[in-house]
Amino acid sequence: MSHSVKIKNALISVYYKDNLEPIIHQLNKLGVKIYSTGGTEKFIKDLGVDVIPVEDLTSYPSILGGRVKTLHPKVFGGILTRRAHKGDEAQIEEYDIPEIDLVIVDLYPFEETVKSKASEQDTIEKIDIGGISLIRAAAKNHNDVVIIASKNDYSSLNNLLETQNGETTLVQRKAFARNAFNVSSHYDTAIFNWFNQDEDALTVFKQSEQKASALRYGENPHQKGYFYGDLEAMFEKLNGKELSYNNLVDVDAAVALIDEFTEPTFAILKHTNACGIASRPQILDAWNTALACDPVSAFGGVLICNGEVDEATATEINKLFFEVLIAPSYSAEAEKVITSKKNRIILKRKDVALPGKLFKTLLNGVIEQDKDNTVEGIEQMTAVTDKKPTEQELNDLFFASKVVKHTKSNTIVFAKNNTLIASGVGQTSRVDSLKQAVVKAASFDFDLKGAVMASDAFFPFPDCVELAAEAGITAVLQPGGSIKDQDSINMANEKGIAMVTTGVRHFKH
């Protein structure tokens, strides 16, 4: 073995003691001298294994309520000494410092403490000092020292102890050091982000996710893909294959859209855009109405609702080929029906808080923004035309404004009776989006008379209003803000339709 190091002395001080016992017994079997502190020292003693208190090594007790236990030259000198360095060797001999070849240490549960809504003082007490210092020291000196900074590495260490008689290679020690720096960097990022929440927060970008899932591929088969995060915390998968990269992108869009609605609602998405969505008193009616919006595009789509799927609804959904279905719950009968085909992905959504920031890589950096959490209710709609919208039109405009916000720009959305009638999506001009929506509605025999229209951005010209009115639209919602707003308002007055402005644009790229 290249640059093999035999473990003779070990320092063990951990918060979590799960699965530590086999390692203690194996070290004892190999004749390794063990140093420890506090609860870990007691744990080792209770196993009937000899252990030396760190206080006996340092001649100092644990002080300041346990804040200072291992911060001492006799500890760090033993970890950081370079075995092949004559000066280091002479000094540790002079000061009677034992070489420490193995450090097993973990960190106080800072993130768990934050999640528990503990007080500020309790949270600060969970900022580890000695542990993080031991990790960095041992990982830095991985040329001679093994560092185990997580219980996730216990199994690997125990296997090495058993199969290599307590010896390790440089390659193995370097791998453990890499894992240790991953632990320490994640820990520091969590602490920094907790501190950096005030109004005067530093404008720096720090994110760290420890869980990773390899995807079948990225957006296309020739691209690698990974998801970083804890999907199991958000969804219980009841059936189907693993989520793909494109599935995840669509699921994210579906969740963002459905969260706009409190009444029973069903949505169908393709390539992050809704091709069908409807709100009804019953989920079954919402499903049937949403599917009727565009049954062609619904094929292979991502389906989502905000109420329980019952057997009757599941039976109707089962007639369609789809990729993913998401709901907060399913009746037992519905679950049997909907899981009858092995590849379709069935997810039960859990109540999990979602991030308030969005970011992505761009050029040679990263861009970040606040999530668009603004929705303009009826009270934010300002009528700017001679004709005012009716109560039904206002309700439909509110429905349409929630859909248009989650549709790719440039976009136009037609809605009627809390139902998506048609949309024009992702066009390079707004009037082309409008024309696309008109054609789409006609292709499924929807009558646009009495329908409303929402636009994600203002109208630079009156042509959209003119064409919409001629198609049967009776009320229009737009943010306003164009220097030519009056031209569109005049056109609406000329055509005898209502228009409201909200003052809020909802581009989505």
Side-chain angles (χ1 to χ4, degrees):
M1 292 183 290
S2 174
H3 188 38
S4 174
V5 171
K6 177 82 171 180
I7 297 173
K8 303 181 292 297
N9 298 308
L11 171 63
I12 307 175
S13 181
V14 295
Y15 189 88
Y16 298 106
K17 299 167 184 67
D18 309 352
N19 302 316
L20 182 63
E21 181 176 346
I23 293 174
I24 301 299
H25 287 307
Q26 191 62 36
L27 290 171
N28 187 50
K29 181 180 176 182
L30 293 169
V32 174
K33 188 179 291 185
I34 300 175
Y35 297 88
S36 191
T37 64
T40 310
E41 178 192 339
K42 181 179 183 303
F43 175 82
I44 296 170
K45 280 182 179 177
D46 289 347
L47 294 176
V49 174
D50 289 338
V51 57
I52 302 170
V54 166
E55 291 93 327
D56 289 358
L57 173 63
T58 63
S59 299
Y60 268 90
S62 172
I63 62 173
L64 306 182
R67 281 189 165 198
V68 180
K69 289 183 283 191
T70 57
L71 296 167
H72 193 280
K74 280 209 168 183
V75 174
F76 282 87
I79 295 171
L80 287 166
T81 181
R82 293 161 289 187
R83 274 51 167 181
H85 191 282
K86 291 182 179 180
D88 286 5
E89 290 293 291
Q91 282 193 315
I92 66 167
E93 184 176 353
E94 178 184 355
Y95 295 108
D96 192 25
I97 300 173
E99 293 178 345
I100 296 175
D101 316 294
L102 168 65
V103 175
I104 304 176
V105 63
D106 60 14
L107 301 169
Y108 290 156
F110 178 82
E111 289 180 282
E112 292 86 343
T113 303
V114 171
K115 289 177 183 176
S116 73
K117 308 295 183 183
S119 68
E120 180 175 341
Q121 187 55 45
D122 286 344
T123 302
I124 288 173
E125 287 304 315
K126 287 299 184 288
I127 298 175
D128 207 305
I129 303 301
I132 202 80
S133 302
L134 290 168
I135 288 172
R136 291 181 65 84
K140 175 178 180 176
N141 202 28
H142 65 270
N143 192 65
D144 300 302
V145 179
V146 177
I147 173 63
I148 302 297
S150 167
K151 59 186 177 182
N152 295 333
D153 283 336
Y154 284 2
S155 178
S156 298
L157 173 64
N158 201 44
N159 181 61
L160 293 181
L161 294 174
E162 289 179 350
T163 60
Q164 296 177 191
N165 197 35
E167 295 187 3
T168 61
T169 67
L170 178 58
V171 170
Q172 291 163 347
R173 294 191 298 277
K174 191 169 185 177
F176 284 131
R178 175 200 61 201
N179 295 351
F181 281 124
N182 177 45
V183 169
S184 65
S185 64
H186 177 79
Y187 194 76
D188 283 340
T189 296
I191 294 169
F192 169 78
N193 285 334
W194 180 72
F195 272 96
N196 199 43
Q197 299 181 78
D198 299 330
E199 290 184 6
D200 61 344
L202 299 176
T203 52
V204 296
F205 182 80
K206 292 183 186 293
Q207 292 290 331
S208 178
E209 286 290 348
Q210 291 289 69
K211 288 197 173 185
S213 303
L215 306 175
R216 296 197 301 275
Y217 49 80
E219 200 163 9
N220 299 292
H222 61 276
Q223 296 169 272
K224 287 184 179 180
Y226 295 88
F227 175 79
Y228 296 98
D230 187 2
L231 275 179
E232 292 181 359
M234 185 162 183
F235 300 111
E236 178 185 352
K237 192 173 78 167
L238 304 179
N239 189 71
K241 57 190 178 181
E242 294 303 314
L243 287 159
S244 70
Y245 181 99
N246 292 329
N247 287 155
L248 287 167
V249 173
D250 284 334
V251 166
D252 178 69
V255 167
L257 174 60
I258 205 70
D259 282 354
E260 301 285 2
F261 297 87
T262 55
E263 61 275 28
T265 301
F266 227 116
I268 306 168
L269 289 87
K270 285 290 285 289
H271 300 291
T272 73
N273 297 300
C275 57
I277 182 169
S279 297
R280 291 292 184 275
Q282 303 297 324
I283 282 291
L284 175 58
D285 292 338
W287 162 253
N288 288 328
T289 308
L291 179 61
C293 295
D294 185 349
V296 175
S297 295
F299 183 85
V302 169
L303 322 179
I304 190 167
C305 65
N306 58 3
E308 180 170 277
V309 174
D310 56 21
E311 184 178 14
T313 307
T315 300
E316 290 302 311
I317 294 171
N318 204 40
K319 299 174 182 178
L320 177 73
F321 169 75
F322 62 89
E323 284 279 329
V324 184
L325 170 63
I326 309 159
S329 61
Y330 303 83
S331 71
E333 297 79 10
E335 190 173 328
K336 289 178 184 177
V337 172
I338 214 70
T339 58
S340 59
K341 298 179 182 178
K342 66 177 184 179
N343 284 333
R344 59 168 54 148
I345 301 166
I346 310 299
L347 302 176
K348 183 161 73 172
R349 185 179 173 188
K350 302 176 185 178
D351 186 16
V352 174
L354 297 175
K357 299 280 188 181
L358 303 174
F359 62 86
K360 66 178 180 180
T361 59
L362 195 79
L363 300 175
N364 62 341
V366 174
I367 55 173
E368 180 185 73
Q369 65 173 346
D370 296 334
K371 185 177 287 186
D372 186 356
N373 290 321
T374 300
V375 178
E376 305 75 60
I378 292 173
E379 61 277 8
Q380 280 83 45
M381 299 177 191
T382 301
V384 292
T385 48
D386 297 335
K387 182 181 179 183
K388 309 305 178 190
T390 66
E391 183 179 352
Q392 181 60 51
E393 286 171 338
L394 285 171
N395 289 331
D396 284 338
L397 288 170
F398 183 38
F399 177 92
S401 70
K402 291 187 279 190
V403 178
V404 81
K405 170 184 169 182
H406 294 277
T407 307
K408 188 172 177 63
S409 299
N410 288 309
T411 183
I412 292 290
V413 165
F414 295 155
K416 189 177 183 181
N417 297 326
N418 289 327
T419 304
L420 173 65
I421 300 301
S423 59
V425 178
Q427 299 302 302
T428 52
S429 73
R430 195 157 303 282
V431 70
D432 282 343
S433 293
L434 173 62
K435 291 175 181 177
Q436 183 189 57
V438 171
V439 170
K440 194 87 170 179
S443 68
F444 293 108
D445 297 324
F446 284 115
D447 182 4
L448 289 178
K449 187 175 181 181
V452 304
M453 177 176 80
S455 173
D456 61 332
F458 63 62
F459 300 116
F461 305 105
D463 50 358
C464 284
V465 179
E466 181 179 15
L467 291 172
E470 291 172 356
I473 296 297
T474 56
V476 175
L477 176 146
Q478 58 130 335
S482 169
I483 59 173
K484 295 185 177 181
D485 272 350
Q486 194 60 47
D487 291 349
S488 294
I489 295 169
N490 291 342
M491 180 58 68
N493 286 329
E494 181 181 325
K495 295 294 184 178
I497 66 174
M499 178 183 288
V500 299
T501 58
T502 63
V504 181
R505 187 185 73 185
H506 289 293
F507 272 162
K508 184 171 183 283
H509 288 92

